[in-house]
Amino acid sequence: MEIENGCEWSGGDDGQVQEVQERLVDGVTAARLARTFKALSDPTRVRIISALSHRELCVHELAACLGMSQSAISHQLRTLREMRLVRRRKEGRHVFYTLDDDHIHDLFHQGLEHVEHE
Amino acid sequence: MEIENGCEWSGGDDGQVQEVQERLVDGVTAARLARTFKALSDPTRVRIISALSHRELCVHELAACLGMSQSAISHQLRTLREMRLVRRRKEGRHVFYTLDDDHIHDLFHQGLEHVEHE
DNA sequence: GTAATATATGAGCAACCATTCAAATATCGA
DNA sequence: TCGATATTTGAATGGTTGCTCATATATTAC
């Protein structure tokens, strides 16, 4: 893996590196952060979240809205469910999905703002 | 691909689906959004952003801080550069990296808040 | 019961990704 | 010039992922 312990810059001592190291997010937090952002890192999932941010929808409606197969949508809904981003409610043959987490909603919209004016 | 055009729910007409469809983010926006979140969807990149949010760092320092090989860091910096998240400044043998975009900084911290209290 | 509808899921596959390893480039000091 | 340091890059690789296809489950209507 070949890891060095610091370059000759930063005054020759590693104190400055260590200072950054202390303020750095820890491994577990970094992993959870990455996992959170990963939930929104796919166009299909982004569009699902976007659709559900307007109103509750069943799987078939989502598939129709996005122009994708029911299976593909169902697979993505599964991962969104496991990430606790969506919740499901069964009603007869239909399963309705809603956004579960308001924070993700905020994150989504902040990302949207960032993308829209650039 | 087997795409259906709407289920019998929603009153039997596709008007309601179409309404959601109109408010949906378009494909290009969804792709750009996904791309933005993807930049932060990896633990290593998250930690790089976290480190650079404290101060400017050269590649070797980053590798030392994260305890990873210089090559791995360099590869990730390349993708972060291509995504316009970091900027580089050359000074002699060293190449210093800084965060390029304040929006990403905000996005990062909002994600951090979300992860920290849950 | 059967048929139709709605959803979920497992296998398979092609595409992508993060890292390692080896090698190339560039700069500085002697 | 040579050797050491700093960074970049390409190939290879093991792992992940998003989709399709086929199939399974569940509910409703008949």
Side-chain angles (χ1 to χ4, degrees):
Chain A
M1 217 203 272
E2 191 218 330
I3 299 168
E4 318 286 325
N5 50 357
C7 69
E8 292 176 355
W9 182 267
S10 59
D13 75 309
D14 295 330
Q16 306 224 18
V17 165
Q18 206 171 356
E19 193 197 328
V20 174
Q21 224 166 7
E22 281 161 10
R23 295 196 198 168
L24 206 56
V25 291
D26 65 293
V28 178
T29 304
R32 289 207 290 170
L33 247 178
R35 196 178 142 82
T36 299
F37 285 118
K38 195 167 209 164
L40 296 165
S41 72
D42 174 76
T44 301
R45 286 195 294 273
V46 162
R47 290 164 77 214
I48 289 176
I49 298 292
S50 171
L52 293 182
S53 76
H54 292 121
R55 69 171 172 92
E56 188 183 51
L57 289 165
C58 72
V59 180
H60 224 83
E61 287 174 317
L62 274 168
C65 283
L66 306 197
M68 294 182 65
S69 79
Q70 170 270 323
S71 181
I73 298 297
S74 195
H75 275 295
Q76 291 293 11
L77 284 172
R78 178 185 164 89
T79 82
L80 288 172
R81 230 186 307 137
E82 284 169 352
M83 290 169 169
R84 314 250 179 210
L85 298 200
V86 301
R87 207 172 3 203
R88 62 173 164 179
R89 174 176 71 81
K90 223 175 162 185
E91 185 175 320
R93 279 178 291 187
H94 298 263
V95 178
F96 287 93
Y97 282 83
T98 48
L99 294 187
D100 188 358
D101 195 325
D102 282 343
H103 291 279
I104 296 296
H105 189 266
D106 296 345
L107 213 55
F108 172 78
H109 273 91
Q110 185 165 336
L112 196 58
E113 267 184 44
H114 171 241
V115 161
E116 276 175 345
H117 55 59
E118 61 145 63
Chain B
M1 214 202 277
E2 191 219 330
I3 300 168
E4 318 285 322
N5 49 359
C7 68
E8 291 178 354
W9 182 267
S10 60
D13 75 309
D14 296 328
Q16 305 223 20
V17 166
Q18 206 170 359
E19 192 197 328
V20 174
Q21 224 166 9
E22 281 162 10
R23 296 195 198 167
L24 207 57
V25 291
D26 65 293
V28 178
T29 304
R32 290 207 288 171
L33 246 178
R35 197 178 142 82
T36 300
F37 286 117
K38 195 165 210 167
L40 296 165
S41 72
D42 175 76
T44 300
R45 287 196 293 273
V46 162
R47 290 165 76 215
I48 290 175
I49 298 293
S50 171
L52 293 182
S53 76
H54 293 120
R55 69 172 173 91
E56 187 183 52
L57 290 164
C58 73
V59 181
H60 223 83
E61 286 174 318
L62 273 168
C65 283
L66 306 198
M68 294 181 65
S69 79
Q70 171 271 326
S71 180
I73 298 296
S74 193
H75 275 295
Q76 292 292 10
L77 284 171
R78 180 184 164 86
T79 83
L80 287 172
R81 229 187 307 136
E82 285 169 352
M83 289 170 170
R84 312 254 179 207
L85 298 199
V86 301
R87 206 173 3 204
R88 65 172 163 181
R89 173 178 72 82
K90 222 175 164 186
E91 186 176 321
R93 278 178 290 186
H94 297 262
V95 178
F96 287 92
Y97 281 84
T98 49
L99 293 187
D100 189 358
D101 195 324
D102 282 343
H103 290 280
I104 297 297
H105 188 268
D106 295 345
L107 213 55
F108 172 78
H109 274 90
Q110 184 165 337
L112 196 57
E113 268 184 44
H114 170 241
V115 162
E116 276 175 346
H117 56 63
E118 62 143 64

